[in-house]
Amino acid sequence: MRKEVVVAAAVTAVAVVAVLVRQYSRKKARQWRQTQRILRKFARESATPVPKLWEVANAMVSDMQASLASQEETGTLSMLVSCAASLPKGDERGLYYGVNLRGTNFLILCARLGGRNEPISDLHRKEISIPPNVLIGTSQELFDYIAAELAKFVSENPPDDTPDASERERKLGFTVSYPVDQAAATSGSAIKWKSFSANDTVEKALVNDINRALEEHGLKFRVLSLVDDTVGNLAGGRYYNNGIVASVTLAMGSNAAYVEPEEAVPKWQGTIPSSNLSELIINTEWGNFNCSNLPITEFDSSLDAESSNPGSRIFEKLTSAMYLGEIVRRVLLKMAQETALFGDVVPPELATPYQLRSPDMAAMHQDTSEDHDVVGEKLKEIFGITNSTPMAREVVVEVCDIVAERGARLAGAGIVGIIEKLGRIESRKSVVAVEGGLYEHYRVFRNYLHSSVWELLGSDHSDNVVIEHSHGGSGAGAVFLAACQNPKSS
């Protein structure tokens, strides 16, 4: 009798276990189906087929034209006429210095230019963090700090051995990157300014402050203009290739600059600041571009609403390194909360904004190992996820792919929009220089960018637009600007 009871109990236990296993399997299947539903919906809403990309490109052209025609704010693009005195011709020679001011740090660079067909040499660069007390101080305090560090840099690097170098005043290129770092964008920051139009009195006052600081530190340097670093990239491109018509920055921020005939800028009332005949250098500020055709998802909307600048920099929030990883994180968080993608407990780090940086996103996206081992390592390192399954890791790669493809293809549409605005798609070859970590280090992103331009232009015109990586690296545009600045035209 006792044996029969034991057997019956065992059978019952087995049956209960079987029921629990079936319930668990059904639960996991439901969760997986929900994961796939979220993924498919996100992919559908993020899609960038060629017709949609043309809608974005055409909307950007319309916005560009409206902004160039009027002094009033008529669109989302600022289309600022740059203060850069000129662009290089390629025959500049000598030792030149530049400063690239970023959000919480700045680069000091020097390089020797050898003229046409000669490579850049003696390139030296130093990245310097800005102390917190300087960050929240006045612009004059900031420039004093930069001048002091520049004096050290000059003394530490090879001297200018050209005749009368010790006597003459040297030109210093000065470029500004958008301060995307949230800490640097707080109210009252000394560097809460971005770019300036050619007749902007604020820009002129800042240039005077910079030159005053240089003089007080015994430096025989003079800054003639302060411009967005995308304009600096355009200068670097022109030094090597006179056929370059535009430059694009795809880094922590996103922007584009290009050269426009004077007659195409009705709002311009001043004299031409450029020594290049009848040309104006336009800083588009395309990061702020927005139109109804952009593929905005719920994740983009929440990111924008919770940002320090809601309603602004929409195109940048879709195309720049600052935000791509954050969009991926938000998608994965929803999956973790609603489908237990990484287990029944949501990892706390996954709920931390901006925890996922774009280099880590790129590493996961480009993981070609069979079980996505790199993805597993990154999930553990960044979010503390130790039990990810191969299926979950595959989902992570797919989310990264959707976000990167959308961002790159939208940037490609922006490039085509600029070339279309210039009327060069069908008749003339145009070279566009691209600078920034997204383009240089994120191979899949770069490939998506190129393919989107090819698809938009088709086989008949794809050869008319050439995209190349800019020369010199980050911040080097300031050096090229120094080489071509003309005091008489500033």
Side-chain angles (χ1 to χ4, degrees):
M1 181 66 179
R2 181 178 302 170
K3 182 178 180 180
E4 292 176 352
V5 171
V6 170
V7 170
V11 170
T12 301
V14 169
V16 169
V17 169
V19 169
L20 292 175
V21 168
R22 285 195 298 272
Q23 289 177 341
Y24 179 79
S25 297
R26 285 196 293 267
K27 177 183 177 182
K28 286 298 180 184
R30 286 195 304 271
Q31 290 174 337
W32 181 249
R33 286 194 297 271
Q34 177 62 8
T35 297
Q36 291 300 306
R37 279 194 290 269
I38 294 173
L39 185 65
R40 287 194 299 269
K41 182 175 184 288
F42 181 56
R44 185 170 62 252
E45 294 177 350
S46 300
T48 52
V50 169
K52 176 174 281 292
L53 291 180
W54 266 119
E55 290 173 350
V56 171
N58 290 332
M60 183 172 285
V61 172
S62 297
D63 215 342
M64 293 169 73
Q65 291 171 333
S67 183
L68 290 174
S70 173
Q71 295 281 359
E72 305 297 325
E73 291 288 339
T74 56
T76 58
L77 294 174
S78 298
M79 303 300 286
L80 303 173
V81 180
S82 172
C83 289
S86 58
L87 291 173
K89 298 177 181 178
D91 55 3
E92 291 79 7
R93 303 175 65 89
L95 184 69
Y96 296 97
Y97 289 80
V99 172
N100 175 222
L101 177 58
R102 299 163 166 188
T104 56
N105 63 68
F106 58 94
L107 280 176
I108 301 178
L109 309 96
C110 72
R112 191 176 303 278
L113 306 185
R116 199 170 303 280
N117 300 322
E118 292 293 331
I120 187 172
S121 61
D122 292 337
L123 175 62
H124 301 273
R125 67 174 70 214
K126 183 178 182 180
E127 182 174 332
I128 300 168
S129 296
I130 303 172
N133 63 305
V134 176
L135 276 176
I136 62 174
T138 66
S139 59
Q140 190 60 62
E141 290 172 332
L142 173 64
F143 296 143
D144 283 337
Y145 183 77
I146 292 174
E149 292 296 329
L150 177 61
K152 296 178 188 176
F153 181 84
V154 171
S155 67
E156 294 167 353
N157 287 287
D160 188 349
D161 55 6
T162 56
D164 72 359
S166 60
E167 300 299 327
R168 62 181 168 84
E169 184 179 66
R170 289 177 287 182
K171 292 167 287 186
L172 176 68
F174 206 112
T175 59
V176 182
S177 298
Y178 180 55
V180 293
D181 188 282
Q182 298 300 308
T186 56
S187 178
S189 170
I191 56 174
K192 193 186 178 183
W193 29 262
K194 182 172 180 180
S195 49
F196 310 92
S197 60
N199 59 352
D200 195 332
T201 56
V202 174
E203 186 270 342
K204 292 177 182 177
L206 289 172
V207 167
N208 290 336
D209 288 344
I210 297 170
N211 287 325
R212 188 180 305 115
L214 295 173
E215 182 179 353
E216 290 176 354
H217 284 80
L219 292 166
K220 292 184 178 180
F221 285 93
R222 184 185 174 202
V223 174
L224 298 175
S225 61
L226 187 152
V227 300
D228 188 278
D229 62 350
T230 306
V231 176
N233 297 336
L234 181 59
R238 275 291 181 92
Y239 177 81
Y240 289 97
N241 186 346
N242 286 330
I244 286 181
V245 299
S247 66
V248 172
T249 297
L250 293 170
M252 292 299 281
S254 182
N255 196 15
Y258 73 106
V259 179
E260 184 78 86
E262 181 195 10
E263 61 270 19
V265 191
K267 73 176 181 179
W268 175 248
Q269 303 296 322
T271 57
I272 301 174
S274 172
S275 63
N276 300 320
L277 184 62
S278 299
E279 286 186 340
L280 294 171
I281 304 167
I282 305 297
N283 173 15
T284 67
E285 290 297 314
W286 84 0
N288 206 42
F289 173 66
N290 192 9
C291 71
S292 60
N293 308 110
L294 291 176
I296 304 293
T297 70
E298 62 181 278
F299 306 102
D300 305 298
S301 298
S302 64
L303 182 153
D304 177 53
E306 296 168 18
S307 70
S308 61
N309 54 352
S312 300
R313 315 299 301 173
I314 301 301
F315 197 66
E316 186 167 76
K317 288 168 182 173
L318 296 171
T319 60
S320 76
M322 177 70 179
Y323 300 103
L324 297 188
E326 174 62 7
I327 298 168
V328 171
R329 183 199 67 82
R330 287 171 179 264
V331 177
L332 296 180
L333 177 61
K334 179 171 182 174
M335 290 177 172
Q337 292 171 333
E338 298 186 7
T339 75
L341 181 65
F342 302 115
D344 293 333
V345 178
V346 177
E349 291 88 348
L350 191 57
T352 304
Y354 297 93
Q355 186 80 352
L356 179 60
R357 302 179 307 114
S358 63
D360 294 318
M361 169 188 168
M364 293 192 296
H365 187 188
Q366 296 171 161
D367 179 12
T368 58
S369 60
E370 183 175 354
D371 288 332
H372 296 302
D373 296 329
V374 174
V375 176
E377 293 170 4
K378 287 294 182 182
L379 290 175
K380 180 179 179 180
E381 171 190 334
I382 299 165
F383 301 119
I385 299 171
T386 59
N387 59 342
S388 62
T389 65
M391 292 175 66
R393 296 195 287 270
E394 178 64 33
V395 169
V396 172
V397 173
E398 290 184 40
V399 173
C400 291
D401 188 67
I402 293 169
V403 173
E405 181 179 19
R406 181 186 64 173
R409 288 172 68 83
L410 288 174
I415 290 173
V416 171
I418 290 175
I419 304 303
E420 182 186 12
K421 167 65 180 67
L422 292 173
R424 300 174 64 102
I425 286 180
E426 298 181 359
S427 58
R428 304 171 66 184
K429 177 162 286 190
S430 303
V431 183
V432 178
V434 183
E435 190 276 331
L438 276 181
Y439 185 83
E440 183 177 0
H441 302 301
Y442 200 157
R443 172 181 46 79
V444 177
F445 185 96
R446 181 172 64 250
N447 292 342
Y448 278 139
L449 172 65
H450 282 263
S451 64
S452 68
V453 173
W454 296 333
E455 289 178 36
L456 280 162
L457 300 179
S459 57
D460 292 338
H461 304 303
S462 59
D463 290 341
N464 286 354
V465 177
V466 178
I467 300 174
E468 64 178 39
H469 183 236
S470 64
H471 298 276
S474 177
V479 172
F480 293 106
L481 281 174
C484 67
Q485 289 185 97
N486 181 359
K488 293 181 181 180
S489 64
S490 63

